[in-house]
Amino acid sequence: MRTTLIGKAGIGGENPVRLMGVINTSPESFFHGSYVPSGSILRNAEKMIDEGASIIDLGARSTAPQSRSITVEEECRRLKSSLAELEGTGIPVSVDTMYADALDLALRYDIAAINDIHGLADERFAERAAESGLLVIAMAAREQPGDPHGADETMAALALVTERAEAYGIKDLILDPGIGRWVPSRRSEHDWDLCRRFSDFLTFERPLLGAISRKSFIGDLLGKPAEERLAGTLGLTALLVMAGAAMIRTHDIAATRDVIRVCEKMQGER
């Protein structure tokens, strides 16, 4: 498996499973507990780093179905304010966006990675990502974020994403199978299929991101809102770590760190 780096933290291969902390500056987020207003970004990021996060994933737009849509201009305003708080702190940051204008804004700051839920489908975005030389986290997408249904379609979409990365010359790549209800036609069982067959995606020999934190398919099973899905999330996180996830994206760093430590003990500490 090809490995990559965030700062000095190796990802994939024999490296420990890394943690990505979620900070949303979008009040529209499906999990309101993840919303961090301007002025509190640095404090929250420092806490996550202290608890064991290797990188902070900063997003300014909710991509949950039925959430209020905002303009790219508004996303850029939010990103600018948030990134300004973190600039010069040395905290590794990935920017979660799929719009080239927002990426252009983010690249004015000292960011460590780009998180593209659109799977490099936008030519201008992909070109700018390649030019930056930064690590790219790319989610399974054919024409729009999360449009594959189930593991077989996701396998084909990730093959397409990998081809796009190679065509643009992006070498440092983490793949995200895109678990979650991204499009209205997605069903909970599609997400469970991805989780059951998570290890299949190791065939691409790229580090895999497990991004399931408090998502709706867990809530559908348990009959609980986002605020009450932590236990379900942690149980599933353990299974994804055992299935080969190289990095876990989570709202709950300390609890997830403990789960990972237990899993790695069971596997034989890396």
Side-chain angles (χ1 to χ4, degrees):
M1 174 185 289
R2 301 188 203 184
T3 60
T4 189
L5 290 171
I6 293 178
K8 297 181 179 179
I11 303 169
E14 297 302 312
N15 292 293
V17 177
R18 303 300 182 182
L19 282 163
M20 169 183 275
V22 182
I23 290 184
N24 290 321
T25 63
S26 51
E28 305 85 14
S29 175
F30 81 97
F31 174 37
H32 192 69
S34 69
Y35 168 59
V36 181
S38 179
S40 300
I41 306 294
L42 177 57
R43 181 171 68 252
N44 279 263
E46 288 176 332
K47 181 174 184 291
M48 287 182 167
I49 295 295
D50 288 345
E51 290 176 343
S54 294
I55 191 167
I56 302 300
D57 195 38
L58 187 66
R61 171 191 297 270
S62 174
T63 52
Q66 301 177 336
S67 62
R68 183 177 72 84
S69 180
I70 64 169
T71 64
V72 176
E73 289 75 19
E74 174 63 20
E75 181 181 1
C76 287
R77 283 194 293 272
R78 293 175 179 180
L79 280 176
K80 182 177 181 180
S81 174
S82 303
L83 288 167
E85 283 192 53
L86 297 173
E87 187 74 352
T89 64
I91 294 174
V93 175
S94 65
V95 171
D96 181 358
T97 187
M98 63 178 183
Y99 294 101
D101 286 345
L103 177 58
D104 284 339
L105 180 282
L107 289 173
R108 299 174 195 168
Y109 295 85
D110 184 22
I111 65 172
I114 298 162
N115 186 2
D116 179 21
I117 64 169
H118 206 181
L120 302 171
D122 179 84
E123 180 178 353
R124 182 176 157 219
F125 186 105
E127 287 176 348
R128 292 292 290 117
E131 290 167 1
S132 75
L134 295 175
L135 166 68
V136 174
I137 302 157
M139 195 178 85
R142 293 173 301 193
E143 297 177 358
Q144 57 181 314
D147 55 4
H149 295 74
D152 289 337
E153 290 189 13
T154 297
M155 186 73 74
L158 288 176
L160 179 59
V161 169
T162 303
E163 290 171 7
R164 289 170 182 158
E166 291 174 352
Y168 287 104
I170 294 170
K171 294 181 173 58
D172 289 324
L173 180 70
I174 293 175
L175 294 177
D176 176 1
I179 301 167
R181 190 165 297 157
W182 298 95
V183 294
S185 56
R186 286 278 289 261
R187 299 289 178 263
S188 291
E189 192 51 42
H190 293 136
D191 292 324
W192 290 111
D193 189 35
L194 296 187
C195 293
R196 292 186 192 104
R197 295 178 56 188
F198 194 85
S199 62
D200 289 0
F201 307 124
L202 293 170
T203 190
F204 295 103
E205 298 188 343
R206 298 283 190 170
L208 297 178
L209 175 69
I212 59 165
S213 187
R214 298 179 181 261
K215 287 189 173 178
S216 59
F217 74 107
I218 298 172
D220 291 344
L221 176 68
L222 303 178
K224 293 184 175 182
E227 290 74 17
E228 298 175 22
R229 297 174 190 164
L230 177 57
T233 296
L234 295 176
L236 185 53
T237 295
L239 296 174
L240 295 188
V241 169
M242 299 294 280
M247 186 159 64
I248 298 293
R249 183 180 185 272
T250 180
H251 301 93
D252 307 282
I253 296 296
T256 307
R257 176 201 62 209
D258 289 351
V259 166
I260 290 172
R261 289 182 66 187
V262 169
C263 290
E264 291 184 334
K265 185 68 175 180
M266 289 295 291
Q267 291 174 314
E269 294 177 80
R270 285 183 268 182

